[in-house]
Amino acid sequence: MHGQIKIPVPPRKVVPSRRTGTSQRMRDMIFAGMAPSISILLTSPIDVVKARMQVHGEGIKVSFQRTAFGELRELFQKEGLSGCYRGLGISIMREASLNVMRLGLYDPIMSLMHTGYYDMASTKETGLPPLYKRLLCGSICGIMGSVASSPMELIKCRMQCGGESAAAGHKYKYTSAYDACTKIIRSEGVKGLWNGAEVFVMRNAIGSAANLSTFSAFKAYFLNFREDSVLVDVAAGLASGFVTTCVMCPLDMIKTRLQNQPVDELTGKGRLYRHGGDAVAKIVKSEGTFALYKGFSSLFVRTGPHYVLTFAIYGLLKRWASSKDNSDGDVGTTVNHYY
């Protein structure tokens, strides 16, 4: 109408959109499986050393505990480079199957639990989710990943502890992961592939809660000072790796003992330990309380670089895919946040 005055409406501030389509979530899950599978190529020798240290002196109090360096030197001298990478193939399968769910499902589940959350970099806009949500989400993802990867973890553990230089109370002689799988099924049944699974699940429920919650917290803190980058992922990954090692070491040690123990072919039950609680009682009685922290140094030397590489590679892959989408003009399914 003539003479009407139009009042301008200020535009709403729009935060740059992110694709939230199923295809991108699936791609991120693939990246979550790829990243640790690549990093294990570098950290596998330390993983073997950690397993060897955890079974050293099983059932007796030893006058000395091998250092991580001493164990690595003994391993290389007696078994060569192939011994340092013992069980590498099954280790890669274990990392992929575990982290597709443990790391790959963290962002989708957290986005359902916390309004506005998209991924760990989005905390710069939405704020860090409460600690209880981060712990709960990390535990859920750790449990799902553990159930899926437990058979690979069992085979990996037995193969790593079965070499010539291993000072284990019991050694399994498997020529390959396939040989291990067939022999376990033949002597212990299919359910034998999940021996020690209860402690492995508990280990990763607690470990993933600590790892993913602290990584997201450290990353949110570092994002206050600089943009999302490899350096941010490296710093947050190393810090979270130390916290995770402190929390996870006793459970990791018990898991190794349970999975590497001899099994009765008739009952399919372990001959040394009945369950996790029994293992703790016997280890403390025969080897002392500090035996639960056997392999702490090698566990941190393994988990520290492993988490650094995993989160750095995962972040790189996600940022590369995001930049490729933007350069291709791919908008996909988007969500806009208005403030």
Side-chain angles (χ1 to χ4, degrees):
M1 184 182 295
H2 182 69
Q4 274 190 337
I5 299 175
K6 293 184 178 180
I7 301 175
V9 178
R12 292 177 295 179
K13 183 180 178 181
V14 181
V15 176
S17 61
R18 291 187 177 91
R19 297 176 66 228
T20 56
T22 303
S23 61
Q24 181 163 347
R25 288 300 192 192
M26 290 296 295
R27 185 178 65 190
D28 288 349
M29 288 181 69
I30 293 173
F31 289 163
M34 288 174 58
S37 299
I38 295 171
S39 66
I40 197 66
L41 296 175
L42 299 176
T43 60
S44 183
I46 304 301
D47 195 35
V48 177
V49 168
K50 183 263 299 179
R52 299 284 178 91
M53 291 180 72
Q54 289 175 334
V55 296
H56 177 67
E58 184 172 18
I60 58 173
K61 283 189 177 182
V62 293
S63 56
F64 74 98
Q65 173 65 44
R66 286 179 179 174
T67 64
F69 179 76
E71 189 73 54
L72 181 61
R73 182 177 57 189
E74 182 91 357
L75 172 63
F76 185 76
Q77 288 177 345
K78 291 188 176 180
E79 301 179 47
L81 188 61
S82 62
C84 295
Y85 282 90
R86 193 176 183 87
L88 177 61
I90 200 68
S91 293
I92 293 174
M93 291 177 63
R94 179 260 194 197
E95 291 296 333
S97 59
L98 172 64
N99 285 284
V100 160
M101 296 185 179
R102 190 190 78 90
L103 182 56
L105 289 179
Y106 183 84
D107 285 338
I109 293 176
M110 182 58 77
S111 66
L112 296 175
M113 296 172 63
H114 190 70
T115 304
Y117 179 93
Y118 176 74
D119 60 18
M120 291 178 187
S122 71
T123 55
K124 194 171 183 179
E125 301 158 3
T126 65
L128 189 66
L131 177 61
Y132 79 90
K133 287 185 179 180
R134 288 181 282 129
L135 291 173
L136 178 60
C137 186
S139 293
I140 292 171
C141 295
I143 290 170
M144 290 192 293
S146 300
V147 173
S149 62
S150 189
M152 279 75 80
E153 174 67 21
L154 174 73
I155 294 171
K156 175 186 80 79
C157 176
R158 290 185 178 182
M159 290 186 70
Q160 289 179 338
C161 294
E164 179 186 349
S165 68
H170 179 76
K171 297 181 185 181
Y172 285 93
K173 299 186 181 299
Y174 300 135
T175 57
S176 65
Y178 176 78
D179 179 56
C181 185
T182 54
K183 286 181 177 178
I184 291 170
I185 293 175
R186 189 182 305 123
S187 62
E188 304 170 41
V190 174
K191 68 177 183 179
L193 292 170
W194 275 267
N195 276 335
E198 67 280 3
V199 176
F200 183 55
V201 170
M202 187 185 304
R203 166 197 185 271
N204 280 322
I206 296 173
S208 294
N211 177 230
L212 296 174
S213 65
T214 54
F215 175 81
S216 60
F218 282 121
K219 180 158 185 171
Y221 174 75
F222 294 137
L223 286 174
N224 291 322
F225 305 100
R226 60 189 308 127
E227 293 299 315
D228 193 13
S229 64
V230 173
L231 184 60
V232 169
D233 290 332
V234 167
L238 185 60
S240 68
F242 179 75
V243 175
T244 306
T245 303
C246 294
V247 171
M248 197 170 61
C249 188
L251 288 170
D252 190 67
M253 191 269 191
I254 295 165
K255 172 205 70 71
T256 301
R257 291 290 182 90
L258 285 172
Q259 292 184 327
N260 190 61
Q261 69 174 322
V263 176
D264 190 300
E265 294 188 5
L266 295 177
T267 64
K269 296 181 179 180
R271 293 178 179 175
L272 300 179
Y273 315 112
R274 298 192 305 274
H275 47 71
D278 182 52
V280 172
K282 288 180 177 177
I283 290 169
V284 170
K285 182 179 179 180
S286 62
E287 302 173 49
T289 303
F290 287 107
L292 295 173
Y293 277 87
K294 278 185 176 180
F296 177 87
S297 60
S298 58
L299 180 61
F300 175 64
V301 171
R302 189 263 182 187
T303 56
H306 183 72
Y307 286 141
V308 164
L309 290 168
T310 294
F311 286 119
I313 295 170
Y314 184 50
L316 274 171
L317 289 171
K318 291 184 69 174
R319 286 188 291 274
W320 167 78
S322 179
S323 64
K324 189 173 184 297
D325 288 341
N326 292 336
S327 64
D328 292 343
D330 182 8
V331 294
T333 304
T334 63
V335 56
N336 294 323
H337 303 291
Y338 298 96
Y339 296 91

